[in-house]
Amino acid sequence: MKFLVTGAAGFIGMYVCKRLLEQGHYVVGLDNLNTYYLPKLKQHRLDQLFPYDNFTFIKKDLADRDAIAALFKEEQFQRVIHLAAQAGVRYSLEAPFDYVDSNLVGMMTILEGCRHNKVEHLVYASSSSVYGMNTKVPFSESDTVDHPVSLYAATKKSNELMAHSYSHLYGIPTTGLRFFTVYGPGGRPDMAPWLFTEAILNDRPIKVFNQGKMMRDFTYIDDIVEGVIRIQEVIPELNESNETGSTAPYKIFNIGNNQPIQLSEFIEAIESACGKQAEKILMDMQPGDVPKTYADTAQLETAVGYKPSTTIQEGMVKFVEWYKTFQKEL
Ligand SMILES: NC(=O)c1ccc[n+]([C@@H]2O[C@H](COP(=O)([O-])OP(=O)(O)OC[C@H]3O[C@@H](n4cnc5c(N)ncnc54)[C@H](O)[C@@H]3O)[C@@H](O)[C@H]2O)c1
């Protein structure tokens, strides 16, 4: 099958491409290789994809309407896995228009491409951040999520709304995946696993937000990829019963570990993987952050017979091992 995977040089995108390539699919990986973080890390990831004959890399910006329309027309993708985005909650306070360009205009060019080229299934990344300050746990796909607390979250919720309108109007099957804090080898330098590991290994103090009173549903990358790969095979159908009254071929799933842990337990897992204690600076809550994320994964389990299960202790050992090797390459 022929896939378009956007964000192919990104953390999740690279692993999704790799799994599809191993399964023998033809994959066009698209990325604009922006410099939000270490370009060398994006290159390091792409280097793992280039050896596959069934892989083609295209450097393009999703906000380039004409280029994306031409790409869809020329390639006639059967399935699209849209993972490119300007990620990060805190950066959305600094550079809001990057989020508009990549996450809103970028989603639009993908939807238009799917609309005009009869794509069988569009799977796209949403985020647990859409749950905002939701206090009902675990977070369920049927919870009301109309109160985002960051622009990043607002763009992700908007992606779900845009997808619904295109599923409804043009019958495009779409599946949105609400990822819960993904980590693992090759992970992002702007996220806590990297920042804490870097600080601990270099004897620098770590900033512990909200005095450590935060809970996160950390999800190991292999678990996320397994979920994405299985879900792209489950194409939503028109007229499936849906509690919202919508008959569009549209689905939303949480992909999280269903086992949130305290920040303190997370730090202990990193300390143990690094073989060193952290020096901690207790800080207040950051604007846009949420105190707790906790995924209800029952719908995912019903749809694909699977739920993430890697523990933070297992996952962090693998991350720290990779991190040390990668630092030597820099
Ligand atoms: N990693 C997580 O914990 C997490 C959690 C929730 C949601 N998500 C979502 O999952 C997806 C993948 O996340 P990730 O962690 O792999 O992020 P990432 O930043 O590593 O990957 C995103 C990739 O998209 C590319 N990109 C950004 N804007 C682009 C544009 N306009 N045109 C083309 N390429 C563009 C970037 O260069 C990058 O390589 C994103 O949509 C993100 O919002 C991630």
Side-chain angles (χ1 to χ4, degrees), residues 14-315:
M14 182 279 280
Y15 285 104
V16 167
C17 285
K18 202 164 175 203
R19 275 290 293 277
L20 292 170
L21 293 165
E22 282 163 359
Q23 290 180 341
H25 297 293
Y26 178 66
V27 178
V28 173
L30 179 142
D31 204 292
N32 68 354
L33 299 179
N34 68 42
T35 54
Y36 167 59
Y37 63 75
L38 274 183
K40 271 198 180 165
L41 177 54
K42 293 186 180 175
Q43 193 55 50
H44 165 88
R45 298 191 189 117
L46 286 177
D47 288 344
Q48 298 180 57
L49 302 176
F50 288 141
Y52 292 89
D53 291 339
N54 40 345
F55 180 68
T56 305
F57 177 67
I58 296 194
K59 183 175 180 231
K60 280 195 197 305
D61 196 311
L62 280 177
D64 183 341
R65 296 180 202 179
D66 294 340
I68 301 303
L71 178 72
F72 269 88
K73 194 167 179 200
E74 189 182 322
E75 295 284 355
Q76 294 297 309
F77 303 111
Q78 285 156 291
R79 298 204 183 159
V80 175
I81 303 185
H82 174 41
L83 301 169
Q86 179 54 58
V89 166
R90 287 174 200 151
Y91 188 62
S92 68
L93 278 71
E94 275 172 50
F97 286 103
D98 289 4
Y99 290 75
V100 171
D101 295 342
S102 292
N103 302 7
L104 298 180
V105 180
M107 179 74 176
M108 198 61 231
T109 59
I110 290 292
L111 285 169
E112 277 288 285
C114 293
R115 169 188 175 188
H116 292 294
N117 296 281
K118 300 200 166 46
V119 167
E120 281 174 13
H121 191 189
L122 165 64
V123 176
Y124 62 96
S126 182
S127 164
S128 61
S129 63
V130 301
Y131 289 104
M133 305 301 273
N134 196 13
T135 49
K136 178 194 149 282
V137 288
F139 297 168
S140 158
E141 293 88 341
S142 58
D143 293 347
T144 303
V145 287
D146 288 336
H147 302 94
V149 294
S150 69
L151 180 71
Y152 169 68
T155 63
K156 289 293 175 181
K157 171 67 186 171
S158 305
N159 287 174
E160 295 179 358
L161 298 171
M162 292 158 84
H164 185 271
S165 69
Y166 268 54
S167 292
H168 172 77
L169 289 169
Y170 308 113
I172 304 165
T174 64
T175 302
L177 301 176
R178 294 179 178 166
F179 297 139
F180 283 66
T181 321
V182 189
Y183 74 102
R188 290 199 342 241
D190 60 336
M191 293 182 66
W194 178 297
L195 294 170
F196 286 5
T197 300
E198 181 177 56
I200 293 172
L201 289 177
N202 292 293
D203 299 316
R204 287 203 313 267
I206 57 172
K207 289 181 186 164
V208 181
F209 293 110
N210 202 30
Q211 323 289 327
K213 287 186 225 102
M214 291 224 265
M215 293 194 88
R216 285 285 175 280
D217 205 336
F218 286 99
T219 323
Y220 189 64
I221 183 67
D222 292 359
D223 289 338
I224 288 286
V225 174
E226 188 63 36
V228 173
I229 296 294
R230 288 187 188 214
I231 216 77
Q232 64 81 18
E233 284 165 7
V234 181
I235 302 181
E237 285 173 15
L238 194 68
N239 290 324
E240 277 182 0
S241 67
N242 183 327
E243 65 280 4
T244 63
S246 164
T247 56
Y250 165 91
K251 289 273 183 193
I252 296 286
F253 291 98
N254 287 335
I255 306 195
N257 213 25
N258 187 228
Q259 269 180 349
I261 56 162
Q262 281 281 1
L263 201 48
S264 54
E265 188 184 345
F266 167 62
I267 294 169
E268 279 164 26
I270 307 181
E271 288 174 328
S272 158
C274 292
K276 270 186 174 184
Q277 293 292 302
E279 186 193 331
K280 301 168 194 105
I281 305 175
L282 300 182
M283 310 275 290
D284 288 336
M285 187 84 159
Q286 292 281 290
D289 256 357
V290 295
K292 187 171 193 174
T293 64
Y294 179 3
D296 178 343
T297 50
Q299 288 204 29
L300 179 74
E301 255 186 289
T302 306
V304 297
Y306 170 78
K307 76 174 199 174
S309 61
T310 307
T311 65
I312 193 76
Q313 288 77 12
E314 291 169 72

